[in-house]
Amino acid sequence: MRLGASRIACLKLDQESLCYVMDLDLIYCVVANACSSHFIVFVLVVSFFLLHQPTCPFVPTSLKFDCLYLGVVSHAQASSVDSLEEVVLTMLQRFKTLEPREHAVETGGKPNPKVPYKAVILICPDVALADAPVWIDRLQRKLQPLFVAENALMLGEFHKNNNSSGLHNESFFPLRTPFPCLAMRNMVPSDIVFLNCPDYPLQTRIAMIQRYLDTFCVAGKKDGKDVLKAQEMIQKLQRENENVGV
């Protein structure tokens, strides 16, 4: 059985911080012959994201470009929320060093078209479902402003009891996965719908939307509908912020 891609990059989250590439056929072979729990986790998570292509159409292309990285975070590596946060922040620093990079030799130093599809999924199979709201959801909310405003990245939260509904269907829950996960990827224009969350203070929302505009407003290029929406949004928030100080 294949999942529609030749390779998947798996992060080895140990002190050496090594990366290696594993053929999916070999993963299935290892599961069948050795019952490696980590490889089973890899297969289940990748299967989930591929079987939900309408939810995350980005994943098949990420696999095609060999730029989807997976890492299993064990209890030994993250025995508390604080230690899981350290793992996530370490991976944040590593993210831009992973291939593909912004300007690659293969593209002659020009922007690499594969970069927008780079993503890291940190799988946390040892996090109990009852703990997911604190370990996964709360940590995602805490770190999202750092990811967006300072790095132009998005951090997503996934677990079986995630009750965030789809944008166009309140009965659909696209962020439910077999195991708790935190996923990081580059920001894309359609992410504007996530940046004006009332859970965050006005100034935090302004900072995130400003980074969005800095990323997607290109001089001499006609602004798309998402960018225009962001411009209207930040102007409204700035007026609200000024009124707060009056």
Side-chain angles (χ1 to χ4, degrees):
M1 178 181 178
R2 293 190 66 82
L3 296 178
S6 61
R7 295 189 302 164
I8 182 166
C10 302
L11 291 174
K12 187 176 181 182
L13 300 176
D14 58 13
Q15 291 182 346
E16 290 81 21
S17 296
L18 299 176
C19 295
Y20 59 96
V21 176
M22 179 67 67
D23 189 281
L24 282 175
D25 284 340
L26 293 179
I27 290 181
Y28 280 105
C29 179
V30 170
V31 170
N33 292 285
C35 293
S36 168
S37 60
H38 281 193
F39 285 128
I40 291 172
V41 169
F42 287 146
V43 172
L44 286 174
V45 171
V46 175
S47 298
F48 173 85
F49 279 101
L50 282 174
L51 290 172
H52 290 70
Q53 288 186 33
T55 303
C56 195
F58 160 121
V59 170
T61 305
S62 182
L63 282 168
K64 178 182 176 182
F65 287 159
D66 296 328
C67 53
L68 178 62
Y69 292 83
L70 299 181
V72 171
V73 183
S74 68
H75 180 75
Q77 294 158 321
S79 58
S80 66
V81 178
D82 289 341
S83 56
L84 177 58
E85 181 176 345
E86 289 180 13
V87 170
V88 174
L89 292 176
T90 298
M91 191 51 58
L92 170 62
Q93 296 304 313
R94 287 186 58 197
F95 185 88
K96 292 186 179 180
T97 70
L98 298 171
E99 297 293 343
R101 302 189 187 189
E102 192 66 41
H103 300 284
V105 174
E106 64 189 67
T107 61
K110 297 178 182 178
N112 191 330
K114 295 181 180 181
V115 168
Y117 294 97
K118 179 168 62 176
V120 170
I121 300 175
L122 298 177
I123 311 161
C124 307
D126 295 330
V127 173
L129 190 57
D131 294 331
V134 174
W135 283 65
I136 303 297
D137 296 346
R138 193 178 298 174
L139 183 58
Q140 186 271 344
R141 282 194 298 272
K142 176 182 178 182
L143 296 181
Q144 181 78 304
L146 171 67
F147 272 72
V148 176
E150 296 188 25
N151 298 276
L153 299 176
M154 297 292 289
L155 182 67
E157 76 286 9
F158 301 83
H159 55 82
K160 242 180 212 180
N161 283 351
N162 191 311
N163 290 322
S164 297
S165 60
L167 293 174
H168 307 292
N169 184 349
E170 293 184 356
S171 300
F172 179 53
F173 303 97
L175 303 184
R176 290 181 177 175
T177 50
F179 297 96
C181 302
L182 287 162
M184 59 186 76
R185 61 168 174 78
N186 285 289
M187 194 160 49
V188 296
S190 58
D191 285 328
I192 185 58
V193 296
F194 304 115
L195 303 186
N196 192 21
C197 176
D199 290 345
Y200 296 116
L202 271 174
Q203 292 184 349
T204 299
R205 284 182 272 164
I206 290 171
M208 291 195 291
I209 297 171
Q210 185 59 59
R211 183 56 186 263
Y212 173 96
L213 290 171
D214 292 343
T215 302
F216 296 112
C217 274
V218 180
K221 183 178 178 181
K222 185 178 179 181
D223 294 330
K225 63 178 182 179
D226 290 319
V227 171
L228 293 174
K229 183 188 296 184
Q231 291 170 340
E232 294 175 359
M233 196 178 289
I234 198 170
Q235 289 170 3
K236 181 179 178 180
L237 291 175
Q238 287 171 337
R239 287 195 296 270
E240 289 181 23
N241 192 46
E242 290 171 359
N243 292 334
V244 169
V246 173

